[in-house]
Structures are given as C-alpha cells and as structure tokens.
Amino acid sequence: MQRDYINAKPVLDAMLERNSVRTFLDKPIPDEVLDHILDVSIQAASGGCLQAYSIIVIKDNERKKKLCEACGGQKFVETAAVDLVYCLDWHKYDIYNKMKKAPLVAHRAFSHFIITAQDIMCAAQSAETAAHLCGIGSCYVGSILGKADQMKEELNLPKYVYPMTVLSLGYQKNDGTPRRRHMSRDMMIFDEKYPELDENSLYEAFEEKLQGMRMPLPSKDPARSRMLDTMKKSLLTTYSEEETEAIIAEIIEKGEFNETQRRFGLHYAACYMVQNGRGTIEDMKNCGIVIDD
C-alpha cells in the first residue's frame, strides 16, 4: 500500500467508526488474524525501544472466567474470544542486565514506570486499531490494576511483572447499543497552547456529550441506601457537609443521579479512588515494583 492521504483516507474513515464492544459472538478469531494483530502490537512505538512489557494471550475458558472475576465480574471479559493481558515487565531485563553486567533500577523509578505505561498503551492501542480494521470488536479493562496478587499464580507472574491493562477481543454481537458521543473537537484539540476556557461553552460541550444520560435512584433498599451512602461519602471529598446534604436532597427529589455524579460518585467513586490507588501501589510492591525514585 502506498502511504499517502488518498490511500489512507478509507482506513482513517474506518477508524472514526470504532467503538468499545462488550457483547461478543461465540466465534473464535483465526490464529492467522490474531497473530497479525499481535505482530502489529509489538511493532508500536516504545521509549528507547526498551519494550519493557509482555502480552499474555488468554483463550482458555476457565482462565478467562478467573480473569473476569479479577476484573470485577465484567462478563464480556469471559465471553470474549481472547483476552490480551498487557504486563509491565522488568523480569526479562533483570535477567539480561545481570548477564551483561548492566545496572537496573527501572523497577523502582517513577520515570521508567511512566514511560513503560505509555509504551504499553501504544502497543495495546495498535492492537485495538488493528482488530477494528479486521472487523473485530474490543474493550479495554483497567480494573485489572490492583489484582496482580489475585492473578499471580493463575498467570504465573514472576517478580517484576505487573498486569497493567486487558484488551478483550471478539466479533461483535449486534445488540443495537448506540455508540457513545464524544466531546466536540473544539474542546479536545487546541492550537499552540491551552486556551482560557469559557465556562458556558465548556458546560454546553459536556451537556451535548452526556445528553440524556442519567441513572435512576433505586426505589428500594438495600440498593437505594447503598448508592446514597456511597454518593454522600464521595461528595464529602469535595463539598462541605451542608453542601453535600443539599446535593443528596436534590438527588432524592429528582429520583436520579446525573451522569457526572454517577461516574465520579459511584463508578469511579471519589471516596474510594485514592484508597484504590494506594492498594494498587501495595499490589505492585508484592510484585517487586516499588516506585520511590
């Protein structure tokens, strides 16, 4: 293929149609196709070309089931044709560097951690794009973070190896689920420097993206009390007691959470996110990765 805009345009247009897929057909991905996707993945950009990651390919149904449980019971992880577990991996360099009499502090250096995290996402995104162009759906699963201890034996993870993300792949089951709206271009792409954002324009952009999205407040306990309790704890991380009570009262009156409340108060609950982050740091320490430099 000649690499120019004319030839690339159909591919770029196809990429604009991508969406996350969470319902899969019971249909395997041919080995030839999967191998090609994986080859594309490891050809991705990498800082210093270190490629300090490994990809664990999971097809076994029992292992997918255990991975699903570790990822919060998200069923699509189990029903996907294959799950790709992208792991930060300093184990291989630990062995090789000693053989070459070279130093290694990457497993405790924050700068190395960030660069490797970027490399992993470059590789995973290359696989996601390649899969999409092959007619294969995918979904990222970040909830593997903090679960290395749970999957360590199942995946035979050695020291200095840590699972960072999962990419679930499979042929999409057409369930009629609409594609999610994305933020308008003018709120995502800025020329030369970050602009002074107009609050009203910003509000309207988010409202357009999240139009019609809300979560009903359950009418019965224990779900109702549990959600309100979590939301209250989350709100108290940001608002005063008085402000929090007023917001909770408004939620009860409306009988629903707006989408931003759902995302930051319940799904990525503000009252747990810092705690979860600390848990992930401890989980990484158990794998020999202690980021303190």
Side-chain angles (χ1 to χ4, degrees):
M1 171 183 168
Q2 183 175 335
R3 288 180 292 170
D4 56 34
Y5 179 68
I6 293 175
N7 286 286
K9 190 175 184 303
V11 179
L12 299 178
D13 288 340
M15 289 171 67
L16 288 173
E17 295 301 315
R18 72 143 305 276
N19 64 304
S20 295
V21 174
R22 295 176 177 82
T23 55
F24 299 110
L25 296 172
D26 184 13
K27 177 182 177 181
I29 299 172
D31 289 342
E32 178 186 11
V33 177
L34 181 59
D35 286 345
H36 208 155
I37 290 171
L38 290 167
D39 285 341
V40 168
S41 185
I42 62 174
Q43 191 64 28
S46 172
C49 200
L50 293 182
Q51 293 184 292
Y53 61 87
S54 292
I55 307 168
I56 300 176
V57 181
I58 299 180
K59 299 180 183 179
D60 178 77
N61 289 332
E62 282 303 310
R63 190 162 283 114
K64 285 193 293 181
K65 182 177 181 180
K66 291 179 180 178
L67 183 64
C68 171
E69 292 170 357
C71 292
Q74 298 182 77
K75 195 65 178 177
F76 66 85
V77 176
E78 183 179 349
T79 59
V82 60
D83 290 307
L84 306 181
V85 183
Y86 283 81
C87 298
L88 180 154
D89 185 356
W90 292 113
H91 175 69
K92 290 178 286 190
Y93 273 106
D94 182 53
I95 295 171
Y96 184 66
N97 283 27
K98 287 174 181 174
M99 296 172 70
K100 298 297 290 185
K101 297 181 175 58
L104 185 70
V105 297
H107 57 284
R108 57 187 179 89
F110 181 72
S111 55
H112 267 302
F113 173 77
I114 290 295
I115 291 169
T116 305
Q118 293 170 343
D119 290 355
I120 287 170
M121 292 316 302
C122 283
Q125 185 57 46
S126 291
E128 195 264 7
T129 300
H132 173 68
L133 295 175
C134 291
I136 297 168
S138 66
C139 189
Y140 280 112
V141 188
S143 50
I144 190 65
L145 286 172
K147 306 299 173 53
D149 193 53
Q150 191 172 336
M151 294 299 296
K152 199 170 187 176
E153 183 176 347
E154 187 66 36
L155 299 181
N156 192 37
L157 300 177
K159 190 176 183 180
Y160 303 142
V161 174
Y162 190 79
M164 293 285 286
T165 193
V166 174
L167 184 64
S168 295
L169 300 175
Y171 291 98
Q172 182 174 5
K173 182 186 292 185
N174 186 9
D175 61 357
T177 302
R179 297 177 73 243
R180 288 189 178 185
R181 298 183 185 91
H182 286 72
M183 186 70 93
S184 59
R185 194 178 192 278
D186 63 331
M187 282 294 170
M188 295 296 296
I189 302 170
F190 307 134
D191 291 330
E192 305 295 345
K193 61 182 181 180
Y194 201 96
E196 294 291 335
L197 294 176
D198 174 68
E199 286 188 2
N200 291 331
S201 298
L202 179 63
Y203 181 82
E204 290 173 4
F206 273 112
E207 287 294 285
E208 182 180 357
K209 174 183 177 178
L210 303 176
Q211 184 179 359
M213 299 178 70
R214 58 184 63 88
M215 172 185 278
L217 173 65
S219 59
K220 297 180 180 179
D221 285 329
R224 178 185 178 91
S225 295
R226 185 172 60 246
M227 283 191 182
L228 286 173
D229 182 61
T230 300
M231 179 59 68
K232 182 175 180 178
K233 290 177 180 176
S234 292
L235 287 167
L236 284 170
T237 65
T238 308
Y239 301 95
S240 69
E241 182 79 35
E242 183 178 356
E243 290 170 323
T244 294
E245 291 299 336
I247 295 170
I248 292 294
E250 184 179 7
I251 289 171
I252 293 173
E253 181 181 357
K254 291 183 176 179
E256 64 184 28
F257 303 96
N258 65 48
E259 178 60 12
T260 309
Q261 288 170 336
R262 183 195 72 82
R263 292 187 182 190
F264 292 97
L266 298 174
H267 185 68
Y268 297 112
C271 57
Y272 300 131
M273 287 303 288
V274 173
Q275 177 183 337
N276 290 347
R278 290 172 181 154
T280 297
I281 290 172
E282 288 301 312
D283 193 49
M284 293 174 68
K285 286 180 180 178
N286 292 335
C287 294
I289 300 169
V290 183
I291 304 169
D292 59 4
D293 290 341

